[in-house]
Amino acid sequence: MESCMATSSAAALSSMPTSIFSQLLHVILVSQCTLSKNEDYPMDRTEEILASGMEFDFVIVGAGTAGTILAHRLTEVPDWNVLLIEAGEDPIPESDVPGLMLLLFGEFQDYAYKTEPQEGVCQGINNKRCRWSKGKALGGSSVINAMLHVFGNDRDYNEWADMGNTGWSYEEVLPYFRKSLNCPYDHVQKWGSKYCGTGGPMNLRNYNYSMTNTQEIILDAARELGLNVLEPLIGDRFVGYGRALGTIDNARRMNAAKAFLSPIKGRKNLYVMKSSRVDRILTENARATGVRVTLKDGRSIDVKTTREVILSAGSIASPHLLMLSGIGPKKHLETMGIPVLTDLPVGKNLQDHVVWVGMHIGYVNESTTPFPSTYALDITYEYLIHNSGELATVGIDLLGFVNVTDPKSKYPDIEIDFGHFPRWNMLKVGTLLKAFDAEENLIQAIYKEIMEMDLIIPCTILLKPKSRGKLELRSIDPADTVKIYANYFTEEEDLKTLLKSTDQIKSLLNTETMKKYGMSLQHFDIPGCRHTKSDSDEYWECNARHTATSLFHAVGTARMGPAGDPKAVVDPRLKVHGVERLRVIDASIMPNIISGNTNAPTMMIAEKGADMIKEDWKKEDLKNVAREEL
């Protein structure tokens, strides 16, 4: 911070005489120093590791949400040397700014995977292949995600426990949700200590800015329909409308690396390797002994562990690495010419949340005026100086959780994220579609809409898909991405449920609350749907097939289940079946996807996994001591 402020001050004051203007410029430049800098994060210790040739107690592959938590918790044991390996670098400063979130997708800190083409799905996406974004930096996807912190509901986790996953019921995992969190006092008062912890590394806060009153209008419409208004959003009620808290602090993104690694960057037993790709798990006699790593200069090295290898590379990279190491479906591995170590259904059970962005609510907002030529400078100034304004929020923190197939159910099957896009703001609405890699003709169509009216886009999300996809190796080259078969809507019920979300939006629009503003459902002019009649079932299905795509919530590809479960890859202690001293701890272990955004449960999985590791090795060390005494 000091070096940044000194540099900024020198730059401002050396370029012009002292004046009110130069002082203002100085303030703005210094304000930029509150964004992320390399010195905020642990240093790269690759050369030190190479020089020493040291072994580690634990090697963690992937420094995303799960990996950073594991590194934080395992290095609490001073006798354990922990190596954290990340393919990316430190997060860029722009990633700290919530309002720039959509601009991060498809850029260099995003793997930007693409699914294999599938008929009738992602028809409005470039090359008909859905983009699957995943963060490539310390902090992983927490560096580019929407920062919404949502637990899911009790049924989600009780289902896991009912599948034989002992210790994973809702009441048993709640302490691990709380453990990570540092909530403001007033929220602890609202939530109660059951849901919101204090003193954890991750700060949760409200977004502090709403550009218009659209959120209040939607909440009033929900009240008129007799729907729950959830204040707070996380609690004992799971259906209704409310505002989510975000992983933010002082209007800055709190990515997982900032929350969990920055406070411990000086720990001597924490070793971090950046820009390093893990290519293979090393094994001897079905026991993990280390990993093979390709460094940024192209060198390949083997790193050994005396205790465990832990995969926390996410639902795409973790199964990729398992299969490259001979752990996966026997038939597929043999086809690829990989010797089979253990025959497990790695890459199966792939689940994702589909988001539909093709429904648009339009209205003439008399308070909206054309944007001045200084618009970008104005919002930047407001953000850097006052920590408020359009850049201080993602603008989609108002969420609806509804059940469109059984209105009496206490559990949702659809999530709705409401985003407001003011008239004439082509940049903002364009970035939404570009984030999902939409075709240019769709972007031009929405530009025409935004030039005529304000838009509220209810992004509807299918929470509990029945369809299952899979991952397969493209080649044995670790640099090659896997093949992603999303298999969206292969179960017909999924598409039917998503389409029923139109009824919920129409119900809101039919309230007096929304009628008085002249709000109405628009006909999005999709070239591939021009043969259909406006507002017909055929139109909405065509619309969904063009504009529904991934919400980047892939899970389930290293499914958790007890011994004897033919669909399981890891056991309830997150140990890989049939391979000693190897665990997977990330979103890939979810047996079923949860009813909400996946970052919060990934944090919980990592917190619980860290405790399991400590418990297991405490027992193992005691056994070793007893043997030595004998």
Side-chain angles (χ1 to χ4, degrees), residues 1 4 30-41 91-98 100 250-253 258 383-384 387:
M1 170 67 86
C4 176
V30 169
S31 297
Q32 292 179 318
C33 296
T34 63
L35 302 179
S36 289
K37 304 167 292 299
N38 290 341
E39 55 262 36
D40 293 336
Y41 299 102
I92 57 175
E94 293 87 341
S95 67
D96 275 8
V97 184
L100 298 181
N250 202 27
R252 305 292 192 264
R253 177 193 293 270
K258 187 183 296 183
Y383 179 72
L384 290 175
N387 295 328

Side-chain angles (χ1 to χ4, degrees), residues 204-408:
L204 288 191
R205 299 292 185 268
N206 276 118
Y207 294 94
N208 63 355
Y209 180 74
S210 179
M211 194 160 62
T212 68
N213 63 342
T214 53
Q215 289 193 353
E216 290 304 326
I217 293 171
I218 294 166
L219 288 173
D220 285 344
R223 291 186 183 98
E224 186 178 332
L225 290 174
L227 303 174
N228 293 328
V229 173
L230 306 177
E231 295 178 338
L233 183 68
I234 297 175
D236 295 325
R237 296 180 299 168
F238 307 117
V239 171
Y241 288 72
R243 294 184 180 92
L245 291 177
T247 50
I248 56 173
D249 188 25
N250 202 27
R252 305 292 192 264
R253 177 193 293 270
M254 279 289 288
N255 69 64
K258 187 183 296 183
F260 294 97
L261 293 184
S262 294
I264 64 162
K265 63 181 181 179
R267 283 184 184 168
K268 293 182 179 180
N269 61 339
L270 171 65
Y271 295 80
V272 178
M273 295 175 66
K274 305 175 188 178
S275 294
S276 299
R277 186 188 71 228
V278 176
D279 294 341
R280 182 184 169 192
I281 304 159
L282 304 175
T283 57
E284 293 178 12
N285 301 319
R287 170 181 285 189
T289 60
V291 294
R292 180 158 296 159
V293 185
T294 295
L295 306 178
K296 56 186 168 185
D297 61 6
R299 285 177 294 172
S300 179
I301 65 166
D302 289 349
V303 180
K304 294 299 185 112
T305 176
T306 57
R307 294 181 188 258
E308 290 188 22
V309 172
I310 306 165
L311 301 188
S312 297
S315 295
I316 300 173
S318 285
H320 187 191
L321 188 53
L322 286 170
M323 288 189 285
L324 288 173
S325 306
I327 303 165
K330 180 179 179 181
K331 184 176 179 181
H332 177 54
L333 296 184
E334 288 177 341
T335 300
M336 301 303 296
I338 297 174
V340 179
L341 177 64
T342 307
D343 181 12
L344 291 173
V346 174
K348 310 291 186 181
N349 192 47
L350 174 61
Q351 299 158 64
D352 184 29
H353 285 143
V354 177
V355 59
W356 182 17
V357 297
M359 271 193 291
H360 304 162
I361 298 169
Y363 69 110
V364 177
N365 184 356
E366 299 295 343
S367 65
T368 303
T369 58
F371 291 86
S373 59
T374 58
Y375 167 69
L377 293 175
D378 293 343
I379 62 173
T380 301
Y381 174 84
E382 185 175 4
Y383 179 72
L384 290 175
I385 301 302
H386 300 295
N387 295 328
S388 65
E390 191 168 338
L391 294 179
T393 178
V394 292
I396 55 170
D397 51 309
L398 177 62
L399 310 182
F401 288 91
V402 299
N403 192 303
V404 298
T405 54
D406 180 8
K408 294 182 180 180

Side-chain angles (χ1 to χ4, degrees), residues 13 18 23 25 32 66 125 154 217 271 362 397 404 469 624 629:
L13 297 179
T18 302
Q23 291 176 22
L25 180 59
Q32 292 179 318
I125 307 301
D154 58 3
I217 293 171
Y271 295 80
D397 51 309
V404 298
N624 291 335
E629 290 177 348

Side-chain angles (χ1 to χ4, degrees), residues 579-590:
V579 183
E580 294 180 19
R581 301 197 177 185
L582 176 63
R583 296 193 208 227
V584 181
I585 304 180
D586 56 32
S588 69
I589 66 94
M590 294 188 191

Side-chain angles (χ1 to χ4, degrees), residues 33-82:
C33 296
T34 63
L35 302 179
S36 289
K37 304 167 292 299
N38 290 341
E39 55 262 36
D40 293 336
Y41 299 102
M43 63 181 291
D44 188 327
R45 300 179 71 176
T46 300
E47 293 305 321
E48 179 184 348
I49 293 165
L50 293 176
S52 66
M54 66 184 299
E55 294 184 343
F56 296 90
D57 292 279
F58 297 92
V59 173
I60 303 168
V61 180
T65 296
T68 56
I69 291 172
L70 288 164
H72 183 106
R73 297 305 183 190
L74 296 184
T75 55
E76 290 174 343
V77 181
D79 293 337
W80 287 351
N81 287 325
V82 177

